[in-house]
Amino acid sequence: MKSYQEQPRSSSSCAACKFLKRRCTSNCQFAPYFRSDEPKKFAKVHKVFGASNVSKILNEVAEDQREDTVDSLVYEAEVRLRDPVYGCIGAIASLQHRMVELQRDLILARARLASYVGHCSLSSFLDDHGGLFMAPNFLDIPESNSLPFDQFGRFHFP
Amino acid sequence: MNSGRCAACKHLRRRCPSDCVFSPYFPANNPRRFAYVHKIYGASNVGKILLDLPVNRRAEAADSLYYEAYCRIKDPVYGCVGLITILHQQIHNAQCQLARIQAEIGALSTQSQSEVQQFQQVENVGPSFLPDQNGVPNSTSFYDLSTWFD
């Protein structure tokens, strides 16, 4: 992938350098991701993470992943500014709760379908599958046990 | 050296004052907790976030900051946003599955209702066709069964 450093730089400072009131050099690390017409984007990440920490995080990732990294940092910063107590953790808790509800609805719907087809009665289906309501983890992601919420939505931290 | 310093002040190599904003949430026996939030947010930003909150919300804020920092250190590209994306996908898949099953139930329900209605029509023929208690056929409700075999 072509290095951003080889691309010609525009004459205007990027949003980061404008915010930090410094000269925007041709190899400015922030310039590709914080354009001058998006000042709020950098302001948000700066408020939550700080310029130095954003720079360190960007240096840790491959160049072709930096755009995604900036997008996720901006998202996290926005959510944290909207919800200073829980940030993205609140969003995760809400989504997990929704997932639990959907799993419950799926079990009930499958039971109802099974009873229509006549394979078994509703009560016996729930006897066999009701335990799924309390399954500890519905996510098929690696290390999902590291998620902080149990099936009751309670925090458990690593 | 003050051995009663919190993890934050130990990490920052400074004196831990009695009103230290970090000490209730970053105890000395868990140095990793502050190290993670410091690495991602910086002590100054964490302090500002905590000070902006009422005291009764700070513990939860410190916990969520720690967890987000933990996720970001494990996955520097997506952090905990990666989990949000995965959850959205799984919710979408579950909703599609649910919609399919509900459509199947709807179709079966319609089919069985139509069968029940046909059955009821047949049942309604019987009693009105039967003669009254004097044995006289109820001719006004006589039903021509020959139409069934057309």
Side-chain angles (χ1 to χ4, degrees):
Chain A
M1 187 178 172
K2 193 175 179 183
S3 166
Y4 283 107
Q5 294 174 352
E6 295 167 8
Q7 291 178 351
R9 285 275 300 111
S10 69
S11 56
S12 63
S13 296
C14 72
C17 292
K18 272 188 185 172
F19 185 93
L20 297 169
K21 294 186 170 77
R22 67 183 194 192
R23 194 171 67 91
C24 190
T25 61
S26 58
N27 59 349
C28 174
Q29 186 187 32
F30 297 122
Y33 318 109
F34 296 101
R35 297 195 319 261
S36 57
D37 59 346
E38 294 179 312
K40 288 184 183 174
K41 196 169 153 184
F42 183 78
K44 288 172 189 171
V45 294
H46 182 265
K47 190 168 167 66
V48 177
F49 297 100
S52 168
N53 291 330
V54 172
S55 173
K56 286 179 199 168
I57 291 170
L58 288 179
N59 283 336
E60 275 182 20
V61 303
E63 197 167 345
D64 60 351
Q65 292 184 305
R66 286 179 187 168
E67 190 164 1
D68 283 351
T69 304
V70 167
D71 286 345
S72 73
L73 286 169
V74 170
Y75 182 86
E76 249 189 74
E78 283 175 343
V79 177
R80 177 61 64 176
L81 290 170
R82 262 204 314 268
D83 182 356
V85 179
Y86 294 112
C88 281
I89 303 304
I92 291 172
S94 171
L95 289 170
Q96 278 203 315
H97 181 70
R98 177 74 186 118
M99 196 60 206
V100 168
E101 287 181 337
L102 277 169
Q103 289 285 353
R104 182 199 59 214
D105 291 344
L106 271 170
I107 288 170
L108 289 174
R110 285 186 187 124
R112 196 162 160 219
L113 182 62
S115 69
Y116 264 107
V117 176
H119 288 159
C120 62
S121 68
L122 178 61
S123 60
S124 66
F125 188 99
L126 289 176
D127 283 342
D128 290 339
H129 296 90
L132 285 175
F133 284 126
M134 303 303 284
N137 180 21
F138 298 110
L139 304 179
D140 56 351
I141 57 172
E143 298 181 22
S144 54
N145 288 336
S146 64
L147 283 174
F149 308 106
D150 61 17
Q151 61 268 37
F152 303 108
R154 293 180 299 213
F155 269 73
H156 293 283
F157 286 95
Chain B
M1 274 298 190
N2 181 3
S3 60
R5 288 184 299 172
C6 69
C9 293
K10 275 190 180 174
H11 188 95
L12 298 170
R13 294 199 176 103
R14 67 183 197 189
R15 190 179 66 86
C16 189
S18 57
D19 61 347
C20 175
V21 68
F22 299 114
S23 64
Y25 319 110
F26 298 99
N29 61 356
N30 191 354
R32 187 178 74 167
R33 188 173 153 95
F34 183 77
Y36 281 13
V37 296
H38 178 57
K39 183 177 164 70
I40 300 301
Y41 298 102
S44 171
N45 287 335
V46 173
K48 283 181 202 166
I49 290 171
L50 292 177
L51 284 170
D52 277 348
L53 292 169
V55 174
N56 62 346
R57 305 311 302 274
R58 290 179 187 173
E60 290 158 310
D63 283 346
S64 71
L65 285 167
Y66 168 51
Y67 191 76
E68 280 190 37
Y70 175 85
C71 287
R72 181 60 66 174
I73 287 168
K74 280 185 72 170
D75 181 356
V77 179
Y78 297 108
C80 65
V81 179
L83 292 175
I84 292 175
T85 304
I86 288 170
L87 280 165
H88 274 299
Q89 283 170 351
Q90 294 199 334
I91 285 170
H92 174 74
N93 292 343
Q95 286 171 331
C96 290
Q97 237 182 331
L98 187 61
R100 268 200 307 274
I101 295 175
Q102 286 172 337
E104 280 185 55
I105 291 171
L108 287 170
S109 170
T110 305
Q111 183 185 344
S112 72
Q113 276 175 8
S114 137
E115 286 169 359
V116 165
Q117 280 168 3
Q118 285 183 353
F119 180 71
Q120 284 176 342
Q121 283 173 352
V122 171
E123 278 201 324
N124 286 338
V125 167
S128 59
F129 179 69
L130 290 174
D132 61 20
Q133 29 182 321
N134 297 323
V136 177
N138 188 348
S139 60
T140 58
S141 55
F142 178 77
Y143 190 82
D144 184 3
L145 293 176
S146 65
T147 60
W148 283 41
F149 306 101
D150 287 344

